[in-house]
Amino acid sequence: MSPSTSVPFVPSTAPFNAQQRAWLNGYFAGLTSFAETAAPPAAAPPVAKKPLLILYGSQTGTAEALARKSAKEAAQHGLEASVKEANACALDELAKTERLLLVPSTWGDGDPPDNATQFWSALSAVEPPRLDKLSFSVLALGDKNYSDFCGAGKKFDERLAQLGATRIHPRVECDLDYEPAAKGWMATVLPALSECGGAPALSLAAGLPATARLVSALESAVEASTSKAFSRNRPFPARLLLNRALTGDGSAKEVRHFAISLADSRLNYEAGDALGVLPTNCPVLVSDILAALGCDGEEAVRAPDGGETSFRNALLRHYHITQPAPPLLEALAERAQSVELKTLLAPENKAALEKHLHGREVIDFLIAHPLARFTPPEFVALLRKLNPRLYSIASSPKAHPGEVHLCVSIVRYEAHGRGRKGVCSTLLADRVEGDATLPVFVQTSHGFRLPASGDTPVIMVGPGTGIAPFRAFLEERQVLAAGGRNWLFFGDQKRATDFLYRDELEAMFKNGVLTKLDLAFSRDQADKIYVQHRMLEHAPELWSWLEDGAHFYVCGDAKRMAKDVDAALHELIQSAGGKTKEQAAEYVAALKSAKRYQRDVY
Ligand SMILES: Cc1cc2nc3c(=O)[nH]c(=O)nc-3n(C[C@H](O)[C@H](O)[C@H](O)COP(=O)(O)OP(=O)(O)OC[C@H]3O[C@@H](n4cnc5c(N)ncnc54)[C@H](O)[C@@H]3O)c2cc1C
Ligand SMILES: NC(=O)c1ccc[n+]([C@@H]2O[C@H](COP(=O)([O-])OP(=O)(O)OC[C@H]3O[C@@H](n4cnc5c(N)ncnc54)[C@H](OP(=O)(O)O)[C@@H]3O)[C@@H](O)[C@H]2O)c1
Ligand SMILES: Cc1cc2nc3c(=O)[nH]c(=O)nc-3n(C[C@H](O)[C@H](O)[C@H](O)COP(=O)(O)O)c2cc1C
């Protein structure tokens, strides 16, 4: 259960162990309840704080972290914020709410994340309640690489306004480099909200009772200590302990297992979390870009944080230099007077542009348009910031203390006459040598977790690299000697070369940790066999596990696999459970509400 934000809490990244964290959290909760119940001293009358509801929709925790940060900032503006996932908010509660901040990311094809889908369904129903009392603002998270940029945030924003709510601040849309935009949004929206509805809020600092001031001081102390802790903004330089192939000779893929040391980092994680890796670009590609621009790399440019650095270092460490961003394409079209590129960039040619961009990178456009000249500062201003990559953690910390393991598919392909390399996966595979370290951070998942009881059965569907968190889950259950049944559906191309973690899984099946192991090798026969086919073959048994309270997990490819597995789940609930289509949809919705259907898809 996520802590309520009106009570200060110690984040999991703080440099305390679980026991210390639990003690501090209990202490804060106690102090807060004392502050709430104790009679205030005569000189400090109780402060009227205005309630603020902050809802997030977040798949991998970014929007949730921003929602919690907003709640913390809100306290400085006389607002008492409560934070929760959007699905946990019923519409009759929303209809009574006066102030709302909504922080949704976008997944799938412009869809809300799993923990906001039910909220969206309720809002978009035919006759939801009017929201005339509500003042709101949306901070939408997304990624401009996707065609429906911030699609979910846009839908929420428009729908809330349609239902009569007042947009107190225009929607802010954040690309992967979300921090400056999010900070700006908080700085303007919170004062505006504190002015709206009810009596004007009092200055909090002036009216704080002594106990609340103590809480505030303790919170600052925790913040000071956590700011020294390793995090996304201050990644830990980790050593790579192991890099070995999981796929065999002759495989069409290259999937590798990595073990990374977290020794001396004080970073904690749980099975179900992800590891963020801040990559650097391939130095050969950087040199090729410098050569195409006629530069030696020593020129001074700005890094994204405003500091000065060399052009080579900026291209190596700070900017995304593979897929070109629209401003660079527009500048190239203009400077090279390219009719072809200008035509492709016209709004009506979006599909043709996407097709043209497939497999083409910045270097291809520079070579194709030598007439377009840029100074180094102009060039970096047209690039996006290089962002961290997330990897589902493939180990349990109980089985591998001080280590984190990853299962990574290495991106390499040939396109338009040039060998291409995925930035981070090939860094991991090829470029961490000698004493070199990798900047990493733990991205805590608040949703993707084993059931609280070790006796609850779990069903895991994880083809390809989707196996990663399930290796962690199984290790965790093995170490804890949990009694619950475990069923894994795994699949990949060929049994001989692509049966990832074969020895470990077969050993777990033999020793009973894995109750059932169903395999789907897609290319060992003429017809494709996928994990969802295996699910349907076992529909009655899978149904009985669900009826026994099993939790159902899916990890791996979001575009095709996760959708097809979802369809198969609906289908087997109908066939084996004797439900109609609508009843099956209700059953799945209930599984989601009970956190018994969780996904980690990408
Ligand atoms: C929550 C989460 C968990 C994840 N867990 C894992 C995991 O456990 N294991 C794992 O391997 N990955 C995982 N990923 C994906 C991972 O974060 C990276 O996206 C992946 O490793 C690719 O990153 P890269 O830097 O190597 O490639 P990038 O440099 O980002 O290149 C990838 C891009 O290359 C292009 N591309 C790739 N193949 C082709 C092709 N054949 N033709 C043309 N263009 C192509 C596409 O534009 C694609 O977007 C996860 C992602 C998320 C969000
Ligand atoms: N953009 C692309 O074209 C592309 C291609 C591959 C992977 N990826 C991405 O690369 C990442 C890692 O891939 P991965 O190595 O983990 O595995 P993966 O490519 O997802 O493949 C794992 C297994 O899933 C099968 N599969 C394909 N389509 C499926 C579907 N609709 N339903 C169920 N199973 C299906 C594959 O079969 P077959 O391969 O035989 O069909 C293979 O046997 C993922 O993010 C994935 O999205 C992208
Ligand atoms: C599989 C996948 C699909 C995504 N789809 C979209 C999309 O359609 N539109 C968009 O703007 N961003 C999309 N994103 C980007 C996320 O919205 C972005 O990374 C966001 O910061 C994630 O926030 P969260 O951690 O709170 O979920 C997608 C990301 C992934 C991994």
Side-chain angles (χ1 to χ4, degrees):
M1 185 105 163
S2 303
S4 152
T5 312
S6 55
V7 179
F9 76 101
V10 183
S12 57
T13 45
F16 302 113
N17 64 31
Q19 252 178 332
Q20 291 165 329
R21 244 193 347 262
W23 186 90
L24 277 168
N25 282 332
Y27 185 63
F28 281 156
L31 272 180
T32 309
S33 83
F34 175 72
E36 278 161 5
T37 52
V47 182
K49 290 192 212 163
K50 295 181 175 182
L52 165 66
L53 178 62
I54 305 183
L55 298 178
Y56 59 83
S58 182
Q59 199 76 26
T60 47
T62 322
E64 180 178 354
L66 286 173
R68 296 197 179 284
K69 190 161 176 21
S70 308
K72 230 171 163 186
E73 301 275 320
Q76 310 300 319
H77 296 273
L79 294 160
E80 174 147 20
S82 61
V83 183
K84 54 186 173 185
E85 63 176 44
N87 283 352
C89 178
L91 286 198
D92 49 358
E93 177 191 351
L94 197 64
K96 290 183 209 139
T97 300
E98 284 187 72
R99 293 166 212 84
L100 169 74
L101 294 179
L102 182 61
V103 190
S105 63
T106 293
W107 284 72
D109 305 314
D111 299 326
D114 285 347
N115 57 15
T117 48
Q118 286 155 277
F119 182 64
W120 172 246
S121 303
L123 267 188
S124 51
V126 188
E127 282 192 51
R130 294 285 303 166
L131 302 174
D132 299 315
K133 280 173 71 178
L134 187 71
S135 297
F136 77 98
S137 183
V138 173
L139 179 69
L141 264 64
D143 175 348
K144 282 194 174 151
N145 286 311
Y146 291 88
S147 55
D148 196 352
F149 175 56
C150 286
K154 287 176 189 161
K155 285 197 280 199
F156 276 119
D157 187 44
E158 282 156 20
R159 186 63 177 153
L160 287 168
Q162 264 176 12
L163 295 175
T166 306
R167 192 183 285 112
I168 195 160
H169 187 282
R171 175 181 73 241
V172 168
E173 294 171 4
C174 303
D175 200 359
L176 289 177
D177 181 12
Y178 56 83
E179 272 163 348
K183 222 172 159 180
W185 176 77
M186 283 177 217
T188 46
V189 79
L190 291 169
L193 276 172
S194 77
E195 291 302 318
C196 86
L202 302 176
S203 152
L204 240 184
L208 272 182
T211 38
R213 275 204 301 276
L214 182 54
V215 168
S216 181
L218 273 167
E219 247 194 317
S220 305
V222 168
E223 186 155 313
S225 67
T226 53
S227 68
K228 287 193 201 110
F230 292 110
S231 64
R232 185 186 168 109
N233 291 330
R234 188 170 173 262
F236 171 65
R239 278 188 317 110
L240 186 59
L241 303 172
L242 182 67
N243 167 0
R244 79 174 166 90
L246 291 170
T247 38
D249 290 346
S251 171
K253 305 163 93 166
E254 179 185 350
V255 180
R256 306 191 76 82
H257 174 82
F258 298 98
I260 292 167
S261 171
L262 294 182
D264 303 324
S265 70
R266 292 192 180 175
L267 283 176
N268 297 308
Y269 72 91
E270 283 181 48
D273 288 343
L275 190 79
V277 180
L278 271 76
T280 44
N281 286 305
C282 171
V284 177
L285 181 60
V286 169
S287 293
D288 288 352
I289 290 176
L290 289 172
L293 290 167
C295 297
D296 65 12
E298 294 308 312
E299 302 82 353
V301 296
R302 291 254 164 253
D305 67 2
E308 196 176 275
T309 186
S310 73
F311 192 19
R312 183 181 297 277
N313 193 48
L315 295 182
L316 209 53
R317 293 178 195 287
H318 298 300
Y319 290 100
H320 187 98
I321 59 166
T322 45
Q323 287 78 35
L328 176 62
L329 294 173
E330 278 154 21
L332 277 161
E334 204 46 52
R335 291 180 190 212
Q337 283 304 307
S338 163
V339 177
E340 185 202 17
L341 209 46
K342 281 186 179 174
T343 310
L344 282 168
L345 286 165
E348 64 276 16
N349 293 332
K350 214 172 157 187
L353 176 66
E354 260 181 43
K355 195 167 164 215
H356 186 79
L357 288 175
H358 186 76
R360 284 195 168 86
E361 295 184 347
V362 169
I363 184 67
D364 303 287
F365 287 93
L366 293 179
I367 291 171
H369 300 286
L371 293 180
R373 308 305 303 167
F374 299 94
T375 64
E378 281 170 349
F379 188 71
V380 296
L382 296 165
L383 299 176
R384 268 187 284 153
K385 190 176 155 189
L386 183 58
N387 274 298
R389 307 295 197 263
L390 294 179
Y391 294 96
S392 311
I393 292 178
S395 51
S396 154
K398 298 184 179 70
H400 306 277
E403 290 184 11
V404 63
H405 296 183
L406 306 180
C407 170
V408 179
S409 178
I410 313 303
V411 176
R412 299 186 208 271
Y413 58 97
E414 188 80 25
H416 308 288
R418 206 181 158 100
R420 315 284 172 173
K421 298 193 267 187
V423 176
C424 193
S425 56
T426 62
L427 165 72
L428 284 162
D430 308 337
R431 304 197 299 274
V432 190
E433 290 162 337
D435 289 339
T437 54
L438 270 174
V440 304
F441 61 93
V442 171
Q443 176 89 20
T444 307
S445 159
H446 295 283
F448 203 78
R449 284 278 183 268
L450 273 167
S453 163
D455 293 331
T456 306
V458 301
I459 302 165
M460 299 163 279
V461 183
T465 51
I467 185 67
F470 302 136
R471 179 179 183 261
F473 278 10
L474 289 166
E475 286 187 345
E476 180 93 2
R477 284 201 144 187
Q478 176 157 281
V479 171
L480 295 174
R485 290 170 291 159
N486 303 304
W487 188 349
L488 175 68
F489 290 89
F490 172 74
D492 216 318
Q493 294 183 357
K494 289 175 178 284
R495 178 188 285 266
T497 54
D498 307 311
F499 191 168
L500 311 179
Y501 299 110
R502 177 183 192 150
D503 293 349
E504 291 182 21
L505 294 176
E506 287 183 342
M508 284 184 181
F509 184 60
K510 224 170 162 179
N511 70 22
V513 169
L514 249 181
T515 320
K516 288 180 71 71
L517 173 61
D518 279 289
L519 302 166
F521 292 102
S522 52
R523 303 194 189 182
D524 276 347
Q525 60 287 307
D527 295 329
K528 294 271 186 187
I529 297 178
Y530 290 152
V531 280
Q532 62 272 24
H533 300 131
R534 297 294 186 221
M535 284 167 55
L536 290 169
E537 281 167 22
H538 296 280
E541 196 174 358
L542 210 152
W543 168 249
S544 86
W545 278 52
L546 290 174
E547 285 290 273
D548 288 344
H551 286 212
F552 184 81
Y553 299 89
V554 184
C555 180
D557 172 50
K559 287 184 206 83
R560 299 149 298 156
M561 183 277 294
K563 288 181 181 158
D564 293 347
V565 166
D566 186 72
L569 179 66
H570 282 78
E571 193 180 328
L572 74 87
I573 292 169
Q574 288 172 65
S575 63
K579 308 268 182 207
T580 63
K581 199 173 164 198
E582 292 69 32
Q583 286 167 335
E586 279 166 25
Y587 192 93
V588 171
L591 286 179
K592 286 184 184 164
S593 292
K595 309 269 177 236
R596 287 178 50 210
Y597 179 9
Q598 299 176 12
R599 304 192 308 167
D600 172 14
V601 294
Y602 43 88

